[in-house]
Amino acid sequence: MTALILVDIQNDFLPGGALAVPKGNTIIPIVNSLQTQFDLVVASQDWHPKNHASFASNHHKKQEFDVIDLNGTNQVLWPNHCVQGTHGAEFSSELNTARIAAIFRKGMLTQVDSYSAFFDNNKTHHTGLEAYLKSMQVTEVYVCGLAADYCVYFTAKDAKAAGFNTFYITDATCYIDETSYQTAINDLTENGVQLIKSTDINL
Ligand code: VGL
Ligand code: ZN
């Protein structure tokens, strides 16, 4: 069984949003047209309380994009984004949600960020995605969405580590920072994640 994971295709990560990923909107038509090829489509949703420790606004004398030590882990401080219940946290209205069978929310614990759709950044809490995919007999996972160098990267890395044959769809994701994107795709390749273009998918 094959699954497509739609990572964080939310208003705040799209042009005009609080943490807009450049050209992020361009992936939506690609993602919409891909969905019918998969046995299963799932989505993740970044879903922060407004006092979340990843927000620069919750730290004294810190600026957006500063990096701090948060309980022993490097943490980029982000603009407030994907706050629970806000418009910015909603999926894009252009995203076809009709085939999304399950939504896995992440980033709710105030003291730890959660890039991967599988675990928080300290790997102490599962979202349930791994058990869900395995219960559905999924063996092959395709990852797309936003952002390429953060949540899509960590989701693909954890999918591979969980034993799924994992594909990262390069033209169905966009990055925040080019340098971190290069580091991410090198690391994915070293870890056996396959990079693929949407036009090469024929399931
Ligand atoms: C993300 C930064 C903070 C993402 C989420 O979805 O890539 N990036 N929260
Ligand atoms: Zn976030």
Side-chain angles (χ1 to χ4, degrees), residues 53-60 62-65 77-80:
S54 75
F55 294 172
S57 64
N58 291 321
H59 297 268
H60 192 56
K62 292 290 174 193
Q63 307 212 338
E64 293 174 359
F65 306 102
L77 294 179
W78 304 109
N80 291 16

Side-chain angles (χ1 to χ4, degrees), residues 77-146:
L77 294 179
W78 304 109
N80 291 16
H81 66 277
C82 298
V83 174
Q84 298 168 358
T86 63
H87 174 75
E90 295 305 315
F91 292 127
S92 166
S93 59
E94 289 169 37
L95 179 68
N96 184 349
T97 56
R99 295 194 72 243
I100 299 176
I103 297 166
F104 293 82
R105 287 178 167 164
K106 61 189 182 63
M108 289 94 84
L109 296 172
T110 55
Q111 288 307 312
V112 59
D113 211 352
S114 192
Y115 295 146
S116 165
F118 290 91
F119 302 102
D120 63 87
N121 293 2
N122 293 339
K123 297 229 161 109
T124 47
H125 292 82
H126 275 272
T127 60
L129 176 57
E130 178 180 345
Y132 176 74
L133 294 175
K134 289 184 174 169
S135 77
M136 303 297 263
Q137 276 78 52
V138 170
T139 53
E140 208 162 277
V141 160
Y142 289 72
V143 187
C144 64
L146 301 169

Side-chain angles (χ1 to χ4, degrees), residues 38-53:
F38 293 86
D39 298 317
L40 185 67
V41 180
V42 301
S44 67
Q45 188 174 26
D46 212 32
W47 192 249
H48 298 302
K50 61 177 180 294
N51 62 343
H52 197 261

Side-chain angles (χ1 to χ4, degrees), residues 118 130 134 157-164:
F118 290 91
E130 178 180 345
K134 289 184 174 169
K157 188 169 173 150
D158 287 348
K160 178 67 187 177
F164 300 104

